[in-house]
Amino acid sequence: MVVRRLLLGLLLVCQAAVAQSGDPHADFTRDLTAIREEAYVTPRAALRRLDVLRQGHTGRELGQVLVVTSGAYWWLKDMNRAVDAALGAERLGRELHDDDLLAQAMLHHAYALSKYVHDQEAARRLVQGAARLADDSADPYLKTEALVTQGMLAEEDGDTAGGIELVTRAVDVARAGNDPDALQMALREQARLLASVGKFTEALARTDEMIAAARARGIRGQLAHARLSEYATAARAGNPKRAESALRAAVDLLEKLDAQERLAVPLANLSELYMQGRRYGEAERAATKALRISRAVGDDYGIRLATFELGLTQIYFRNIAEGRAMADKALEALKSDDQYVRMLLNYGHALGQVGFGEAALTIYEKAGSVSLAAWRKEKELSYEALQRARDNQKKQTELAALHHESVLKAAELTSARRQRSLWVALSATTCVAVILIALLYGRVAKANKALQQKNEQLFMQSTRDSLTGLFNRHYFYEQVVPRHHRKAGAASDRRAGAEGRTGGVFLLMDIDRFKSINDTLGHGAGDVVLKNVAARLAATLREQDVLIRWGGEEFLAYLPGIGTDEARQVCARVLAAVGGTTIALDDRELTATISIGFCPKALQPDAIDPDWEQLVHLADLCLYAAKTGGRNQAIGIVDAGVLAPGVIAAADADLKRAAAEGRLALLNVRGPAAVPDRAAA
């Protein structure tokens, strides 16, 4: 009896000891996952925790630590250490025959090669190999990461539609696997790609889901990442208020987390938003803080970006020489940045605001040439990708034909040697042919799908005017008219009422005396004038405004969501931008002015709303009035609410008489006094 009690007591003690000890592997996995999610906001702190975590671990667990270590170095932009850590994890994955670990290591190796070495071919091979391994994995995070990475590479190759399809599959995999961290990663990339093709409502819905999930889980690092994604999407959608709100929230979270490595760039972006709102003091403070932090942590990119924004604030404060020196030095090191053209436009705008019109024009021309070169390069890459797809299809067809020929020759030899096996050989040949045809059909279908996607991309590229780089009429008919000018039904009326504004303005602009420029100076000079005027118009209008070359020296702009008072201000800025400074030709400086006719849409959804052809026609009538009234001015209709069919007919017959009879009101905005032309010394 005593022995039985002693044994029972020992058993209870052992159970208690096991319960207290917990599951070491579960603790390791939990800690590693937490560090992986924190590595984005505090990569240096994450590296310190990883050094502690790797102590005493070998094999698969050591390989997993090395994978997360590679990611932390990637966020620090330390390419060499990121690659070294990934290679170490790859070696362990191969030695242990652990396909999941090997796939994770290959993906992180590919990130560093693609982003910092720009070795796309090597990165693509690594990603393809990792994707094949991930297909057989039961880990939803790995499968999601592989699909997201394939989507990123597809976008870099010019196949944005394919990238969106892959990332959408990644979202579905993360949801099915119930992995919230994988879902955050997939939603973040899906939002970015959707915004890149103009699907802003869907993109912002993805950021809303990310923010709600991060709040529910209480992970401040993920919430900061989601807020930064919301800022980038809202800024691209032309929603500065939401962009600023999201960016301020992200900066507050990063400051609370003491994420110094991650603060500099958001603060510099916040400085840019403040300058757009003419809050120059706040902009200077944000840029100064960004510069101080980036210097403290050794962030070269942050130093350049903060220096550029700080230089612009100095220009607005009339410290022109100091500001230009800072901006020029920073821009020289930022030429390869994705936002280089946008920074040039901000620089030109700042110089124009303080009266340095000629310097601003030089910057605008540079922005235009860089943008046009990028567009041509993108078009060239798309053609190359399309040619590769066609070549691959041709090679597959040739290989199938050669294989089929070899099968037939083998069948003939078998028939000569073994007559009795004729029917068996024929049956086998038939089966092989069926399989080959099925495989060939699948490959052709896949190639045709890729070809269709490339054709769609080429169609989008065909909507640009080759001289000015602006959109052309084709783009207006195919993209702008269906989106902004379809007839509204009950549902869209309710939606418009909820948003509060549905208006917009058409501006029809024509370069004054352009025929005289061509006749006296030649068509080459005319082309220079066209490109300069186009660049000035593009720089003056908003990002969400649509500017196209309507034909010859005529331009059409559609400004959604504004009324007549705002249109008057826009016309004044446009007239000043075009006629305020001269255009440099080879041996002289030439002044070009424009005349503008404009016509607004109705601001309220229940008001009279003529179709867009009538509105553009009325703008054309106003343009004619501006031309005959002396040029270098804008004339437009004040109130779109009076444009009943009878009023439109009266205006069509005689616009000035219709205005004199009080059937409609006209607004006149005059341009600056023309600067006289002068020959170069």
Side-chain angles (χ1 to χ4, degrees), residues 387-617:
Q387 188 60 47
R388 283 198 300 270
R390 288 174 174 167
D391 290 344
N392 287 336
Q393 182 180 359
K394 182 178 179 181
K395 287 179 181 178
Q396 293 298 331
T397 304
E398 291 174 352
L399 287 173
L402 288 172
H403 188 70
H404 184 63
E405 182 180 353
S406 67
V407 170
L408 291 177
K409 288 181 178 179
E412 290 175 0
L413 290 173
T414 303
S415 176
R417 292 174 183 173
R418 299 182 182 181
Q419 187 68 30
R420 290 176 301 175
S421 304
L422 175 62
W423 294 109
V424 176
L426 288 175
S427 298
T429 304
T430 303
C431 291
V432 171
V434 169
I435 294 171
L436 285 173
I437 291 171
L439 291 173
L440 181 60
Y441 179 81
R443 289 170 179 170
V444 170
K446 185 177 181 180
N448 285 338
K449 183 178 180 181
L451 185 60
Q452 181 182 359
Q453 291 171 348
K454 295 303 176 184
N455 285 335
E456 291 173 357
Q457 293 176 10
L458 291 175
F459 169 75
M460 291 299 295
Q461 292 164 3
S462 70
T463 58
R464 290 277 187 177
D465 174 57
S466 60
L467 177 63
T468 63
L470 301 179
F471 290 117
N472 57 23
R473 286 198 183 207
H474 189 163
Y475 176 84
F476 182 79
Y477 294 142
E478 294 293 332
Q479 302 295 326
V480 181
V481 171
R483 186 190 304 177
H484 296 287
H485 311 295
R486 57 170 62 93
K487 294 298 183 181
S492 62
D493 286 346
R494 287 194 298 271
R495 183 167 62 253
E499 293 174 355
R501 294 167 65 95
T502 62
V505 174
F506 284 99
L507 271 64
L508 196 59
M509 300 166 281
D510 188 272
I511 302 175
D512 296 329
R513 299 183 175 88
F514 185 74
K515 185 176 183 301
S516 174
I517 295 173
N518 273 339
D519 292 344
T520 58
L521 301 178
H523 289 280
D527 288 346
V528 172
V529 171
L530 279 171
K531 289 192 286 187
N532 272 268
V533 171
R536 296 182 189 191
L537 294 177
T540 305
L541 298 180
R542 304 172 302 175
E543 184 178 353
Q544 63 266 41
D545 297 335
V546 181
L547 175 63
I548 70 171
R549 184 179 179 188
W550 196 239
E553 68 271 23
E554 201 169 40
F555 302 89
L556 176 68
Y558 173 59
L559 287 55
I562 73 170
T564 306
D565 289 339
E566 293 159 302
R568 178 196 323 209
Q569 299 172 15
V570 172
C571 289
R573 290 199 300 270
V574 167
L575 290 166
V578 175
T581 55
T582 59
I583 296 172
L585 297 177
D586 292 337
D587 56 350
R588 62 184 301 162
E589 292 184 355
L590 177 68
T591 299
T593 61
I594 63 168
S595 298
I596 307 173
F598 66 88
C599 181
K601 283 170 56 72
L603 280 173
Q604 299 302 325
D606 55 350
I608 299 170
D609 189 16
D611 59 31
W612 72 268
E613 292 96 336
Q614 291 176 309
L615 297 174
V616 173
H617 177 64

Side-chain angles (χ1 to χ4, degrees), residues 198-280:
K199 296 182 178 181
F200 301 120
T201 302
E202 296 178 42
L204 288 170
R206 302 304 185 275
T207 63
D208 289 341
E209 183 178 354
M210 292 162 55
I211 292 168
R215 281 176 174 163
R217 299 176 68 203
I219 302 178
R220 290 188 296 176
Q222 277 192 353
L223 182 56
H225 209 169
R227 283 293 198 179
L228 289 173
S229 179
E230 180 190 18
Y231 150 72
T233 305
R236 197 159 192 171
N239 189 341
K241 290 185 178 179
R242 180 164 181 177
E244 181 180 336
S245 174
L247 191 54
R248 287 177 64 88
V251 168
D252 290 343
L253 285 165
L254 293 171
E255 288 179 335
K256 291 176 182 176
L257 291 166
D258 195 27
Q260 298 295 304
E261 304 99 318
R262 194 56 59 202
L263 261 172
V265 172
L267 281 169
N269 292 333
L270 194 58
S271 174
E272 179 186 358
L273 289 177
Y274 286 151
M275 276 187 277
Q276 291 175 1
R278 300 179 182 275
R279 293 144 63 190
Y280 303 124

